[in-house]
């Protein structure tokens, strides 16, 4: 015998029979799903920033034993000349090797009269444009003497408005005032939150003649092992080489506890949503016990009534999930977040929407089952007496 189900219209009509309770439940579900989307967007944004920062054809050379702390690395200036002269397989164009000597520093940066905040400064020369292929100059020019070029996320990193760090404005760090000559982007890479200046000027400001790293672009048919062997043979320089993608992969590993903490927040928020849904559905079902008993009297099975109640919960939660996804795409997606490694944007992508809507619909499904089962355990006679 086929199961006789209640019509869909019955579930939809019941949602409008108690507009206040339905509205409050809808608002609660929407809030929960938005919170889930924000947390998942945080995780996706951080992962994407680190994933796009590494170039598979680029390797970096830095001090032996520095690990991931490149700002503490110090290697001789002559390293940037020795590598292209000694290592085969480095990309070359019109006689210029793709080798970028860089000095990297975390220092206090002051914008106008604001309190100084920590910024990331990188001294480079024009060869950086060859190695950093994601770099795009969005506005202004390459920095000349006394000038700097900033990434598109620097305003977020420093906690100031974009107008305060627009082209022509000045920043102060290391006891000098620097004019902003240009703004660059890098497809979401981590160095979008950095300040770039000329390498020689940064060395003068810091009174240093060394480098932090040397970035090298390897030919597609080149071998990273040649660079690694060079570093291991030159014991006097105390160098180590690492592929850039491996370096950012190691950073992702370091941020693993933060990701797990974020997923724990998703679980806790979802759990709170389930309990809120249970409370609402209990109130809704208990108030309809005589009605549910009457449905059994006219021939509908208990299973059909449970399915109808689940339909109500899923329909309400699915609508709330869609609204939450739209709000998140409009107001949360691409929102800038300040972080220790710089800054990145929240990413409400397909994975985030899938997780958010999945959690939302699950809340409606799981929240409807226990109260429906409990109400239908009552006998038909006792249910009708509850009128």
């Amino acid at each position: 015998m086929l199961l006789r189900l209640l019509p869909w219209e019955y579930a939809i009509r019941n949602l409008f029979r108690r507009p206040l309770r339905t509205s409050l439940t809808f608002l609660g579900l929407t809030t929960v799903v938005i919170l889930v989307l924000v947390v998942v967007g945080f995780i996706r944004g951080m992962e994407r920033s680190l994933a796009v920062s590494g170039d598979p054809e680029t390797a970096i050379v830095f001090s032996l034993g520095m690990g991931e702390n490149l700002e503490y690395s110090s290697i001789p200036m002559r390293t940037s000349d020795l590598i292209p002269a000694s290592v085969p397989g480095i990309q070359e164009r019109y006689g210029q090797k793709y080798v970028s000597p860089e000095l990297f520093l975390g220092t206090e940066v002051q914008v106008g009269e604001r309190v100084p905040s920590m910024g990331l400064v990188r001294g480079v020369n024009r060869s950086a444009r060859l190695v950093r292929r994601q770099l795009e100059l969005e506005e202004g020019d390459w920095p000349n003497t006394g000038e700097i070029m900033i990434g598109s996320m620097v305003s977020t990193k420093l906690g100031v408005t974009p107008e305060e760090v627009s082209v022509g404005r000045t920043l102060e760090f290391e006891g000098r005032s620097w004019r902003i000559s240009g703004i660059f982007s890098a497809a979401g890479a981590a160095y979008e939150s950095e300040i770039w200046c000329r390498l020689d000027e940064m060395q003068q400001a810091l009174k240093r003649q060394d480098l932090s790293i040397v970035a090298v672009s390897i030919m597609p048919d080149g071998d990273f092992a040649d660079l690694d062997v060079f570093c291991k043979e030159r014991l006097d320089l105390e160098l180590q080489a690492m592929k850039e993608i491996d370096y950012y992969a190691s950073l992702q590993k370091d941020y693993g506890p933060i990701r797990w903490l974020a997923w724990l927040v998703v679980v806790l928020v979802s759990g709170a949503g389930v309990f809120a849904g249970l409370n609402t559905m209990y109130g809704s079902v208990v108030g309809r016990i005589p009605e549910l008993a009457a449905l059994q009297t006219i021939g509908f099975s208990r299973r059909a009534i449970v399915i109808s109640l689940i339909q109500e919960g899923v329909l309400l939660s699915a609508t709330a999930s869609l609204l939450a996804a739209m709000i998140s795409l409009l107001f949360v997606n691409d929102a800038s977040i300040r972080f220790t490694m710089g800054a990145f944007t929240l990413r409400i992508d397909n994975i985030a929407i899938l997780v958010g809507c999945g959690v939302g619909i699950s809340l409606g499904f799981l929240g409807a089952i226990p109260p429906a089962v409990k109400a239908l355990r009552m006998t038909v006679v006792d249910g009708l007496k509850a009128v």
Side-chain angles (χ1 to χ4, degrees), residues 42 71 117 144 224 229 235 243 249-250 272 298 329 334 368 385:
F42 173 85
E71 62 269 30
S117 57
N144 292 312
F224 168 76
V229 169
L235 299 178
K243 291 182 179 178
S250 66
I298 61 178
L329 285 171
D334 287 336
K385 287 180 178 178

Side-chain angles (χ1 to χ4, degrees), residues 12-24:
I12 297 173
R13 187 172 61 249
N14 278 328
L15 292 176
F16 293 98
R17 287 172 58 188
R18 302 166 181 83
L20 179 60
R21 176 172 292 173
T22 300
S23 299
L24 293 176

Side-chain angles (χ1 to χ4, degrees), residues 15 18-36 269 272-273 276-277 280 313 315-325 327 360 363:
L15 292 176
R18 302 166 181 83
L20 179 60
R21 176 172 292 173
T22 300
S23 299
L24 293 176
T25 305
F26 181 79
L27 182 62
L29 288 170
T30 304
T31 304
V32 168
V33 177
I34 288 177
L35 290 175
V36 171
V269 170
T280 303
L315 183 62
L316 188 63
S317 61
T319 308
S321 299
L322 289 175
L323 178 62
I327 293 174
L363 295 181

Side-chain angles (χ1 to χ4, degrees), residues 232-246:
K232 291 177 178 175
E233 288 181 344
R234 292 301 302 261
L235 299 178
D236 56 317
L237 299 176
E238 296 184 342
L239 303 174
Q240 65 175 316
M242 180 183 288
K243 291 182 179 178
E244 199 172 45
I245 54 174
D246 292 336

Side-chain angles (χ1 to χ4, degrees), residues 87-109:
V87 179
I90 296 177
Q91 292 190 41
E92 182 177 355
R93 186 179 184 185
Y94 302 124
Q96 183 174 3
K97 297 280 189 178
Y98 284 31
V99 177
S100 174
E102 300 175 359
L103 184 58
F104 188 64
L105 175 72
T107 185
E108 286 191 338
V109 179

Side-chain angles (χ1 to χ4, degrees), residues 54 56 66 74 78 94 132 148 172 186 195 197 207 209 227-229 239 243 277-278 286 364 374:
M66 281 298 104
S74 176
R78 66 179 188 280
Y94 302 124
R132 308 298 182 183
I148 55 174
E172 292 185 10
I195 299 168
C197 65
K207 296 180 175 60
Q209 291 299 319
L227 182 62
D228 191 39
V229 169
L239 303 174
K243 291 182 179 178
L278 281 172
V286 169
K374 182 177 181 180

Side-chain angles (χ1 to χ4, degrees), residues 23-207:
S23 299
L24 293 176
T25 305
F26 181 79
L27 182 62
L29 288 170
T30 304
T31 304
V32 168
V33 177
I34 288 177
L35 290 175
V36 171
L37 285 169
V38 169
V39 178
V40 177
F42 173 85
I43 299 171
R44 297 290 296 168
M46 184 176 65
E47 290 178 343
R48 181 182 179 276
S49 176
L50 293 175
V52 303
S53 297
D55 188 331
E57 295 183 3
T58 300
I60 55 175
V61 177
F62 53 100
S63 291
L64 187 64
M66 281 298 104
E68 294 85 23
N69 301 315
L70 296 184
E71 62 269 30
Y72 301 126
S73 172
S74 176
I75 60 178
M77 182 70 184
R78 66 179 188 280
T79 307
S80 60
D81 296 324
L82 292 173
I83 290 176
S86 308
V87 179
I90 296 177
Q91 292 190 41
E92 182 177 355
R93 186 179 184 185
Y94 302 124
Q96 183 174 3
K97 297 280 189 178
Y98 284 31
V99 177
S100 174
E102 300 175 359
L103 184 58
F104 188 64
L105 175 72
T107 185
E108 286 191 338
V109 179
Q110 184 170 14
V111 181
E113 300 299 324
R114 287 179 177 268
V115 176
S117 57
M118 287 301 296
L120 303 172
V121 183
R122 188 184 296 260
V124 299
N125 58 28
R126 288 183 178 271
S127 63
R129 294 182 300 180
L130 301 175
V131 179
R132 308 298 182 183
R133 297 184 299 174
Q134 298 165 313
L135 183 74
E136 291 186 10
L137 190 59
E138 300 286 346
E139 185 181 354
D141 300 306
W142 188 266
N144 292 312
T145 304
E147 294 181 334
I148 55 174
M149 184 172 66
I150 66 171
S152 56
M153 299 294 293
V154 165
S155 59
T156 301
K157 172 61 180 171
L158 299 179
V160 300
T161 63
E163 290 74 21
E164 291 179 280
V165 288
S166 57
V167 174
R169 295 294 188 97
T170 59
L171 302 180
E172 292 185 10
F173 58 87
E174 295 302 322
R176 292 183 56 179
S177 180
W178 307 76
R179 178 183 176 276
I180 300 173
S181 66
I183 297 175
F184 67 88
S185 64
Y191 45 87
E192 276 190 347
S193 56
E194 294 179 358
I195 299 168
W196 285 17
C197 65
R198 287 176 43 168
L199 176 61
D200 56 345
E201 283 201 282
M202 187 170 176
Q203 288 177 323
Q204 291 174 11
L206 298 176
K207 296 180 175 60

Side-chain angles (χ1 to χ4, degrees), residues 50 248-257 259:
L50 293 175
Y248 284 104
S250 66
L251 287 184
Q252 285 206 38
K253 185 178 179 181
D254 290 344
Y255 286 114
R259 285 204 302 274

